[in-house]
Protein backbone atom coordinates (compact mmCIF):
# COMPACT_ATOMS: atom_id res chain seq x y z
CA UNK A 1 0.00 0.00 0.00
CA UNK A 2 2.78 2.44 0.93
CA UNK A 3 4.54 1.76 -2.39
CA UNK A 4 1.34 2.50 -4.31
CA UNK A 5 0.77 5.75 -2.39
CA UNK A 6 4.30 6.95 -3.05
CA UNK A 7 3.93 6.09 -6.74
CA UNK A 8 0.79 8.20 -6.90
CA UNK A 9 2.57 10.99 -5.03
CA UNK A 10 5.49 10.77 -7.48
CA UNK A 11 3.11 10.99 -10.42
CA UNK A 12 1.49 14.06 -8.87
CA UNK A 13 4.88 15.74 -8.29
CA UNK A 14 5.89 15.01 -11.89
CA UNK A 15 2.64 16.42 -13.24
CA UNK A 16 2.89 19.55 -11.09
CA UNK A 17 6.20 20.72 -12.58
CA UNK A 18 4.67 23.04 -15.24
CA UNK A 19 2.56 24.67 -12.52
CA UNK A 20 5.67 25.15 -10.37
CA UNK A 21 7.39 26.93 -13.24
CA UNK A 22 4.42 29.27 -13.60
CA UNK A 23 4.38 29.93 -9.88
CA UNK A 24 8.09 30.78 -9.93
CA UNK A 25 7.50 33.15 -12.84
CA UNK A 26 4.80 34.95 -10.87
CA UNK A 27 6.91 35.11 -7.71
CA UNK A 28 9.82 36.34 -9.79
CA UNK A 29 7.89 39.44 -10.77
CA UNK A 30 8.01 40.52 -7.12
CA UNK A 31 11.32 38.87 -6.15
CA UNK A 32 13.79 38.48 -8.99
CA UNK A 33 15.68 35.81 -7.06
CA UNK A 34 13.01 33.27 -7.96
CA UNK A 35 13.99 33.57 -11.62
CA UNK A 36 17.60 32.59 -10.93
CA UNK A 37 18.76 29.14 -12.09
CA UNK A 38 15.21 27.76 -12.26
CA UNK A 39 16.38 24.51 -13.91
CA UNK A 40 18.26 23.60 -10.72
CA UNK A 41 14.90 22.92 -9.09
CA UNK A 42 14.41 20.12 -11.61
CA UNK A 43 17.84 18.55 -11.22
CA UNK A 44 19.68 20.29 -14.07
CA UNK A 45 22.97 21.89 -13.03
CA UNK A 46 25.77 23.97 -14.51
CA UNK A 47 28.14 23.21 -11.63
CA UNK A 48 30.75 20.51 -12.27
CA UNK A 49 29.62 17.06 -11.17
CA UNK A 50 31.30 15.71 -8.05
CA UNK A 51 33.63 12.76 -8.53
CA UNK A 52 33.81 11.77 -4.85
CA UNK A 53 31.42 11.82 -1.91
CA UNK A 54 32.82 14.80 -0.03
CA UNK A 55 29.96 17.26 0.29
CA UNK A 56 27.78 17.52 3.39
CA UNK A 57 24.36 18.59 2.21
CA UNK A 58 22.60 21.16 4.41
CA UNK A 59 19.03 22.02 3.42
CA UNK A 60 17.59 25.27 4.80
CA UNK A 61 14.39 26.12 2.99
CA UNK A 62 13.86 29.78 3.90
CA UNK A 63 15.48 32.79 5.54
CA UNK A 64 14.97 31.67 9.14
CA UNK A 65 16.24 28.16 8.55
CA UNK A 66 19.24 29.52 6.63
CA UNK A 67 20.26 31.66 9.57
CA UNK A 68 19.93 28.61 11.79
CA UNK A 69 21.99 26.63 9.29
CA UNK A 70 24.71 29.26 9.65
CA UNK A 71 24.96 28.47 13.37
CA UNK A 72 25.25 24.75 12.64
CA UNK A 73 27.72 25.16 9.77
CA UNK A 74 30.01 27.35 11.90
CA UNK A 75 29.94 24.74 14.65
CA UNK A 76 30.64 21.92 12.18
CA UNK A 77 33.60 23.79 10.72
CA UNK A 78 34.95 24.32 14.19
CA UNK A 79 35.18 20.52 14.47
CA UNK A 80 35.98 19.73 10.83
CA UNK A 81 37.72 22.80 9.30
CA UNK A 82 37.93 21.31 5.81
CA UNK A 83 34.21 20.56 5.58
CA UNK A 84 32.67 21.19 2.16
CA UNK A 85 29.01 22.19 2.21
CA UNK A 86 26.26 21.71 -0.37
CA UNK A 87 23.69 24.32 0.65
CA UNK A 88 20.14 24.23 -0.73
CA UNK A 89 17.09 26.46 -0.30
CA UNK A 90 13.49 26.83 -1.39
CA UNK A 91 13.02 30.63 -1.13
CA UNK A 92 14.80 33.59 -2.69
CA UNK A 93 15.49 35.22 0.68
CA UNK A 94 16.96 31.97 1.98
CA UNK A 95 19.25 31.66 -1.02
CA UNK A 96 20.38 35.29 -0.76
CA UNK A 97 21.18 34.84 2.93
CA UNK A 98 22.99 31.57 2.24
CA UNK A 99 25.57 33.14 -0.04
CA UNK A 100 27.21 34.63 3.03
CA UNK A 101 27.78 31.17 4.49
CA UNK A 102 29.80 29.83 1.55
CA UNK A 103 33.53 29.19 1.47
CA UNK A 104 35.83 27.98 -1.30
CA UNK A 105 34.74 24.52 -2.36
CA UNK A 106 31.14 24.93 -1.19
CA UNK A 107 28.18 24.68 -3.56
CA UNK A 108 24.81 26.42 -3.44
CA UNK A 109 21.77 25.36 -5.49
CA UNK A 110 18.01 25.21 -5.19
CA UNK A 111 16.38 22.33 -3.37
CA UNK A 112 15.37 19.71 -5.96
CA UNK A 113 11.65 19.41 -6.57
CA UNK A 114 10.54 16.18 -4.93
CA UNK A 115 9.96 14.23 -8.14
CA UNK A 116 11.79 10.94 -8.54
CA UNK A 117 13.76 12.15 -11.57
CA UNK A 118 14.84 15.52 -10.15
CA UNK A 119 15.93 14.02 -6.84
CA UNK A 120 17.84 11.21 -8.58
CA UNK A 121 19.72 13.74 -10.74
CA UNK A 122 20.55 15.75 -7.62
CA UNK A 123 22.10 12.79 -5.83
CA UNK A 124 23.89 11.60 -8.95
CA UNK A 125 25.41 15.02 -9.62
CA UNK A 126 26.53 16.00 -6.14
CA UNK A 127 27.04 12.65 -4.37
CA UNK A 128 26.58 14.02 -0.82
CA UNK A 129 28.01 11.89 1.97
CA UNK A 130 25.44 13.10 4.50
CA UNK A 131 22.23 15.11 4.36
CA UNK A 132 21.21 17.50 7.15
CA UNK A 133 17.64 18.75 6.93
CA UNK A 134 16.71 21.76 9.06
CA UNK A 135 13.64 21.71 11.30
CA UNK A 136 10.71 20.38 9.23
CA UNK A 137 11.96 19.58 5.73
CA UNK A 138 11.15 15.90 5.21
CA UNK A 139 10.29 14.97 1.60
CA UNK A 140 9.23 11.39 0.69
CA UNK A 141 11.13 10.92 -2.59
CA UNK A 142 14.22 12.69 -1.29
CA UNK A 143 14.46 10.41 1.74
CA UNK A 144 13.70 7.29 -0.33
CA UNK A 145 16.38 8.16 -2.88
CA UNK A 146 18.93 8.82 -0.14
CA UNK A 147 18.14 5.45 1.43
CA UNK A 148 18.53 3.66 -1.87
CA UNK A 149 21.95 5.24 -2.38
CA UNK A 150 23.16 4.71 1.17
CA UNK A 151 23.26 8.42 2.06
CA UNK A 152 22.29 8.95 5.72
CA UNK A 153 19.81 11.77 6.29
CA UNK A 154 19.45 13.53 9.65
CA UNK A 155 16.73 15.98 10.69
CA UNK A 156 18.38 18.54 12.96
CA UNK A 157 16.78 21.21 15.14
CA UNK A 158 13.67 19.18 14.42
CA UNK A 159 10.22 20.46 15.27
CA UNK A 160 6.73 19.28 14.46
CA UNK A 161 3.68 21.24 15.57
CA UNK A 162 0.51 19.44 16.57
CA UNK A 163 -1.18 20.83 13.45
CA UNK A 164 1.56 19.43 11.20
CA UNK A 165 1.48 16.16 13.12
CA UNK A 166 -2.24 15.75 12.47
CA UNK A 167 -1.68 16.45 8.78
CA UNK A 168 1.10 13.86 8.68
CA UNK A 169 -1.12 11.29 10.39
CA UNK A 170 -3.76 11.81 7.70
CA UNK A 171 -1.06 11.07 5.11
CA UNK A 172 0.50 8.24 7.12
CA UNK A 173 1.19 5.89 4.17
CA UNK A 174 3.36 8.65 2.72
CA UNK A 175 4.74 10.37 5.83
CA UNK A 176 5.62 7.36 7.98
CA UNK A 177 8.13 5.81 5.54
CA UNK A 178 9.72 9.24 5.07
CA UNK A 179 10.22 9.84 8.79
CA UNK A 180 11.25 6.22 9.38
CA UNK A 181 13.82 6.54 6.59
CA UNK A 182 15.78 9.22 8.43
CA UNK A 183 19.01 7.96 9.96
CA UNK A 184 18.69 10.27 12.98
CA UNK A 185 16.51 13.03 14.37
CA UNK A 186 17.60 15.61 16.95
CA UNK A 187 14.52 17.36 18.32
CA UNK A 188 14.04 20.81 19.80
CA UNK A 189 11.72 19.68 22.60
CA UNK A 190 10.26 16.62 24.28
CA UNK A 191 6.87 17.27 22.73
CA UNK A 192 8.43 17.51 19.26
CA UNK A 193 10.26 14.27 19.94
CA UNK A 194 7.07 12.54 21.01
CA UNK A 195 5.23 13.52 17.84
CA UNK A 196 8.18 12.61 15.61
CA UNK A 197 8.52 9.18 17.22
CA UNK A 198 4.80 8.60 16.69
CA UNK A 199 5.48 8.98 12.97
CA UNK A 200 8.24 6.39 13.05
CA UNK A 201 11.25 8.72 13.30
CA UNK A 202 14.39 7.58 15.09
CA UNK A 203 14.77 10.42 17.59
CA UNK A 204 18.26 10.15 19.01
CA UNK A 205 18.08 13.04 21.44
CA UNK A 206 16.50 16.35 22.41
CA UNK A 207 18.99 19.22 22.23
CA UNK A 208 16.84 22.34 22.35
CA UNK A 209 16.80 25.05 19.69
CA UNK A 210 19.93 25.94 17.70
CA UNK A 211 18.70 29.54 17.49
CA UNK A 212 19.68 30.06 21.12
CA UNK A 213 23.31 29.69 20.05
CA UNK A 214 23.11 32.65 17.68
CA UNK A 215 24.90 35.81 18.76
CA UNK A 216 22.96 38.88 17.63
CA UNK A 217 25.09 41.24 15.58
CA UNK A 218 26.92 43.45 18.09
CA UNK A 219 27.37 46.39 15.71
CA UNK A 220 23.67 46.37 14.84
CA UNK A 221 22.72 46.29 18.51
CA UNK A 222 25.05 49.19 19.31
CA UNK A 223 23.59 51.22 16.44
CA UNK A 224 20.03 50.43 17.47
CA UNK A 225 20.62 51.42 21.08
CA UNK A 226 22.32 54.64 20.01
CA UNK A 227 19.40 55.60 17.76
CA UNK A 228 16.88 54.84 20.50
CA UNK A 229 18.82 56.90 23.03
CA UNK A 230 19.10 59.81 20.61
CA UNK A 231 15.37 59.64 19.91
CA UNK A 232 14.56 60.15 23.57
CA UNK A 233 11.20 58.36 23.47
CA UNK A 234 9.98 54.76 23.57
CA UNK A 235 9.84 52.67 20.38
CA UNK A 236 6.96 50.22 19.89
CA UNK A 237 7.60 47.64 17.17
CA UNK A 238 5.45 45.21 15.23
CA UNK A 239 8.13 42.67 14.29
CA UNK A 240 8.02 40.15 11.43
CA UNK A 241 4.46 41.17 10.65
CA UNK A 242 2.26 39.29 8.23
CA UNK A 243 -0.58 40.27 5.91
CA UNK A 244 -3.56 41.59 7.89
CA UNK A 245 -1.64 42.21 11.09
CA UNK A 246 -0.31 45.64 10.11
CA UNK A 247 -3.80 46.93 9.32
CA UNK A 248 -5.17 45.76 12.65
CA UNK A 249 -2.16 47.18 14.48
CA UNK A 250 -2.54 50.58 12.82
CA UNK A 251 -6.27 50.67 13.53
CA UNK A 252 -5.59 50.13 17.23
CA UNK A 253 -2.78 52.68 17.32
CA UNK A 254 -4.78 55.38 15.51
CA UNK A 255 -7.85 54.71 17.67
CA UNK A 256 -5.72 55.08 20.77
CA UNK A 257 -4.18 58.28 19.52
CA UNK A 258 -7.59 59.78 18.74
CA UNK A 259 -9.05 58.66 22.06
CA UNK A 260 -6.36 60.63 23.88
CA UNK A 261 -7.00 63.73 21.71
CA UNK A 262 -3.50 63.38 20.29
CA UNK A 263 -2.57 64.19 16.76
CA UNK A 264 -3.09 61.22 14.42
CA UNK A 265 0.67 60.82 14.65
CA UNK A 266 0.37 58.23 17.43
CA UNK A 267 1.68 60.54 20.08
CA UNK A 268 0.41 59.14 23.38
CA UNK A 269 0.55 55.39 23.61
CA UNK A 270 1.83 55.63 27.17
CA UNK A 271 1.24 59.21 28.15
CA UNK A 272 4.34 60.25 26.25
CA UNK A 273 5.57 60.43 22.69
CA UNK A 274 6.05 56.96 21.20
CA UNK A 275 7.70 56.03 17.93
CA UNK A 276 6.06 53.19 15.99
CA UNK A 277 8.17 50.79 13.91
CA UNK A 278 6.81 48.08 11.59
CA UNK A 279 9.10 45.37 10.22
CA UNK A 280 7.25 43.17 7.67
CA UNK A 281 8.25 39.53 7.50
CA UNK A 282 8.46 39.36 3.70
CA UNK A 283 10.37 41.90 1.58
CA UNK A 284 7.92 41.75 -1.32
CA UNK A 285 5.37 43.43 0.99
CA UNK A 286 7.43 46.52 1.89
CA UNK A 287 5.72 48.79 -0.65
CA UNK A 288 2.31 47.33 0.24
CA UNK A 289 2.81 48.10 3.93
CA UNK A 290 3.96 51.65 3.15
CA UNK A 291 0.78 52.20 1.16
CA UNK A 292 -1.27 50.80 4.03
CA UNK A 293 0.33 53.17 6.55
CA UNK A 294 -0.34 56.12 4.26
CA UNK A 295 -3.95 54.95 3.81
CA UNK A 296 -4.34 55.43 7.57
CA UNK A 297 -3.23 59.05 7.13
CA UNK A 298 0.21 58.53 8.63
CA UNK A 299 3.63 59.48 7.33
CA UNK A 300 6.31 56.83 6.68
CA UNK A 301 10.08 56.80 6.85
CA UNK A 302 11.74 53.71 5.36
CA UNK A 303 14.97 52.31 6.75
CA UNK A 304 16.40 52.12 3.23
CA UNK A 305 16.23 55.92 2.95
CA UNK A 306 17.96 56.71 6.22
CA UNK A 307 21.27 58.41 5.63
CA UNK A 308 23.05 57.85 8.91
CA UNK A 309 20.06 58.48 11.17
CA UNK A 310 16.34 57.67 11.25
CA UNK A 311 14.16 60.30 9.63
CA UNK A 312 11.12 61.68 11.50
CA UNK A 313 7.75 60.15 10.60
CA UNK A 314 4.67 58.74 12.28
CA UNK A 315 5.77 55.23 11.37
CA UNK A 316 9.21 53.85 10.65
CA UNK A 317 9.23 50.98 8.15
CA UNK A 318 11.96 48.38 8.54
CA UNK A 319 12.46 47.54 4.88
CA UNK A 320 15.80 45.72 5.12
CA UNK A 321 16.89 42.11 5.51
CA UNK A 322 19.29 40.75 8.10
CA UNK A 323 18.84 43.63 10.54
CA UNK A 324 16.47 42.25 13.16
CA UNK A 325 19.14 42.77 15.84
CA UNK A 326 19.14 46.46 14.90
CA UNK A 327 15.36 46.71 15.09
CA UNK A 328 15.07 44.83 18.38
CA UNK A 329 17.83 46.94 19.94
CA UNK A 330 15.90 50.05 18.87
CA UNK A 331 12.70 48.76 20.48
CA UNK A 332 11.38 49.08 24.02
CA UNK A 333 8.78 46.40 23.32
CA UNK A 334 7.95 44.26 20.27
CA UNK A 335 4.68 42.68 19.19
CA UNK A 336 5.38 39.27 17.63
CA UNK A 337 4.20 39.05 14.05
CA UNK A 338 2.55 35.89 12.79
CA UNK A 339 0.95 35.31 16.19
CA UNK A 340 -2.10 37.57 15.78
CA UNK A 341 -3.37 35.61 12.78
CA UNK A 342 -3.51 31.79 12.70
CA UNK A 343 -0.04 31.53 11.16
CA UNK A 344 1.91 29.92 14.00
CA UNK A 345 4.00 32.87 15.13
CA UNK A 346 7.68 33.64 14.57
CA UNK A 347 10.88 32.94 16.42
CA UNK A 348 11.18 35.22 19.46
CA UNK A 349 14.63 34.06 20.56
CA UNK A 350 16.50 36.89 18.81
CA UNK A 351 14.29 39.46 20.49
CA UNK A 352 15.04 37.93 23.88
CA UNK A 353 18.78 37.81 23.13
CA UNK A 354 18.65 41.53 22.31
CA UNK A 355 16.85 42.32 25.56
CA UNK A 356 13.58 43.29 23.89
CA UNK A 357 10.39 42.28 25.73
CA UNK A 358 7.85 40.49 23.52
CA UNK A 359 4.07 40.58 23.43
CA UNK A 360 2.63 37.66 21.46
CA UNK A 361 -0.82 36.78 20.26
CA UNK A 362 -2.66 33.46 20.66
CA UNK A 363 -1.18 31.71 17.59
CA UNK A 364 2.31 30.41 18.33
CA UNK A 365 1.88 26.74 17.43
CA UNK A 366 5.01 26.67 15.23
CA UNK A 367 7.11 27.72 18.23
CA UNK A 368 4.93 26.43 21.04
CA UNK A 369 7.54 25.32 23.57
CA UNK A 370 9.87 28.29 23.09
CA UNK A 371 6.91 30.66 23.47
CA UNK A 372 5.77 28.93 26.66
CA UNK A 373 9.29 28.98 28.10
CA UNK A 374 9.70 32.66 27.29
CA UNK A 375 6.38 33.46 28.92
CA UNK A 376 7.31 31.47 32.04
CA UNK A 377 10.65 33.29 32.23
CA UNK A 378 9.00 36.70 32.05
CA UNK A 379 10.57 37.50 28.67
CA UNK A 380 7.23 37.46 26.83
CA UNK A 381 3.56 38.08 27.53
CA UNK A 382 0.61 36.44 25.81
CA UNK A 383 -2.56 38.30 24.85
CA UNK A 384 -5.73 37.31 23.06
CA UNK A 385 -5.70 39.82 20.19
CA UNK A 386 -4.12 42.95 18.75
CA UNK A 387 -6.28 45.26 20.84
CA UNK A 388 -5.00 43.71 24.06
CA UNK A 389 -1.47 43.66 22.65
CA UNK A 390 -1.43 47.42 22.13
CA UNK A 391 -2.98 48.03 25.57
CA UNK A 392 -0.43 45.70 27.16
CA UNK A 393 2.39 47.51 25.37
CA UNK A 394 1.00 50.82 26.61
CA UNK A 395 1.03 49.54 30.17
CA UNK A 396 4.56 48.21 29.87
CA UNK A 397 5.91 51.42 28.37
CA UNK A 398 4.29 53.37 31.20
CA UNK A 399 6.32 51.38 33.75
CA UNK A 400 10.04 51.62 32.86
CA UNK A 401 11.13 49.41 35.76
CA UNK A 402 8.77 46.66 34.62
CA UNK A 403 9.95 47.02 31.04
CA UNK A 404 13.57 46.76 32.16
CA UNK A 405 12.82 43.66 34.23
CA UNK A 406 11.27 42.00 31.17
CA UNK A 407 14.31 42.95 29.08
CA UNK A 408 16.67 41.37 31.64
CA UNK A 409 14.45 38.29 31.78
CA UNK A 410 14.85 37.95 28.03
CA UNK A 411 18.63 38.10 28.23
CA UNK A 412 18.65 35.47 30.97
CA UNK A 413 16.21 33.26 29.08
CA UNK A 414 18.35 33.35 25.92
CA UNK A 415 21.56 32.56 27.81
CA UNK A 416 20.02 29.72 29.79
CA UNK A 417 19.07 27.63 26.75
CA UNK A 418 22.30 27.71 24.74
CA UNK A 419 24.24 24.54 23.88
CA UNK A 420 22.26 22.83 21.11
CA UNK A 421 24.95 23.50 18.49
CA UNK A 422 27.71 21.78 20.45
CA UNK A 423 25.49 18.81 21.25
CA UNK A 424 24.39 18.46 17.64
CA UNK A 425 27.98 18.53 16.37
CA UNK A 426 28.96 15.87 18.90
CA UNK A 427 26.08 13.66 17.74
CA UNK A 428 26.95 14.13 14.06
CA UNK A 429 30.48 12.91 14.67
CA UNK A 430 29.00 9.43 14.27
CA UNK A 431 28.47 10.22 10.58
CA UNK A 432 31.43 12.52 9.89
CA UNK A 433 34.44 11.08 11.70
CA UNK A 434 36.47 8.98 9.33
Amino acid sequence: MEAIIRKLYSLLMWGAQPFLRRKLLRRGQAEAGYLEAVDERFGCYTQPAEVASELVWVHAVSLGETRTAGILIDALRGQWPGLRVLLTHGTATGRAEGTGLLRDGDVQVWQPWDSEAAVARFFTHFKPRLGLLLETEVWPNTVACAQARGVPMALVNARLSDKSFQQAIRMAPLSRPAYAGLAAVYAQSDSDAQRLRALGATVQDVFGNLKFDATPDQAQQAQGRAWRQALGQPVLTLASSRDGEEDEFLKQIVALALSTRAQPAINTVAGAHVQVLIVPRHPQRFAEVQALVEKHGLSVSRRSTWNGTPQPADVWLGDSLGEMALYYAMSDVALLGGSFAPLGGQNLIEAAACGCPVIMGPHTFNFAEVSELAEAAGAARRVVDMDEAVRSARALLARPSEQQAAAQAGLGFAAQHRGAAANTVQALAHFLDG
Side-chain angles (χ1 to χ4, degrees), residues 224-247:
R225 287 192 292 266
W227 280 345
R228 182 175 57 169
Q229 184 175 6
L231 181 67
Q233 64 190 56
V235 176
L236 171 60
T237 297
L238 176 59
S240 295
S241 60
R242 306 284 286 274
D243 188 17
E245 292 182 319
E246 299 98 353
D247 189 46

Side-chain angles (χ1 to χ4, degrees), residues 285-369:
R285 298 190 58 246
F286 290 157
E288 172 191 337
V289 175
Q290 177 178 352
L292 179 64
V293 174
E294 291 171 342
K295 182 180 177 181
H296 281 274
L298 305 171
S299 60
V300 184
S301 174
R302 294 176 64 150
R303 163 73 177 104
S304 59
T305 68
W306 296 352
N307 186 18
T309 184
Q311 299 303 302
D314 297 329
V315 177
W316 287 343
L317 180 60
D319 63 341
S320 62
L321 294 176
E323 289 195 316
M324 287 310 300
L326 171 78
Y327 296 130
Y328 283 132
M330 291 173 67
S331 306
D332 292 87
V333 61
L335 277 56
L336 185 68
S339 69
F340 297 96
L343 299 169
Q346 301 292 345
N347 167 38
L348 55 74
I349 295 172
E350 189 171 12
C354 292
C356 178
V358 169
I359 297 174
M360 54 190 177
H363 307 289
T364 56
F365 52 81
N366 283 334
F367 305 91
E369 180 149 341

Side-chain angles (χ1 to χ4, degrees), residues 64-65 68 133-137 155-161 185-197 203-212 347-349 364-371 373 417 420 423-424:
E65 288 84 359
T68 305
L133 309 175
L134 268 292
E135 299 195 9
T136 61
E137 287 292 295
L155 185 64
V156 301
N157 210 45
R159 60 182 174 89
L160 187 69
S161 69
V185 174
Y186 308 108
Q188 291 187 22
S189 70
D190 290 329
S191 56
D192 290 315
Q194 183 179 358
R195 287 188 284 267
L196 288 160
R197 288 191 179 106
V203 180
Q204 302 282 13
D205 219 323
V206 177
F207 291 146
N209 196 324
L210 283 168
K211 291 183 175 72
F212 281 108
N347 167 38
L348 55 74
I349 295 172
T364 56
F365 52 81
N366 283 334
F367 305 91
E369 180 149 341
V370 167
S371 300
L373 290 172
H417 293 279
N423 290 331
T424 302

Side-chain angles (χ1 to χ4, degrees), residues 214-226:
T215 301
D217 189 286
Q218 298 298 310
Q220 288 187 22
Q221 289 190 82
Q223 182 66 84
R225 287 192 292 266

Side-chain angles (χ1 to χ4, degrees), residues 387-410:
D387 175 54
E388 187 183 356
V390 173
R391 286 189 284 109
S392 181
R394 179 185 185 184
L396 192 60
L397 292 173
R399 305 183 185 101
S401 61
E402 191 174 329
Q403 186 274 342
Q404 186 59 31
Q408 291 300 316

Side-chain angles (χ1 to χ4, degrees), residues 166-190:
Q166 296 302 329
Q167 292 172 342
I169 287 293
R170 288 193 290 271
M171 296 293 294
L174 194 62
S175 61
R176 284 187 184 278
Y179 282 99
L182 298 169
V185 174
Y186 308 108
Q188 291 187 22
S189 70
D190 290 329

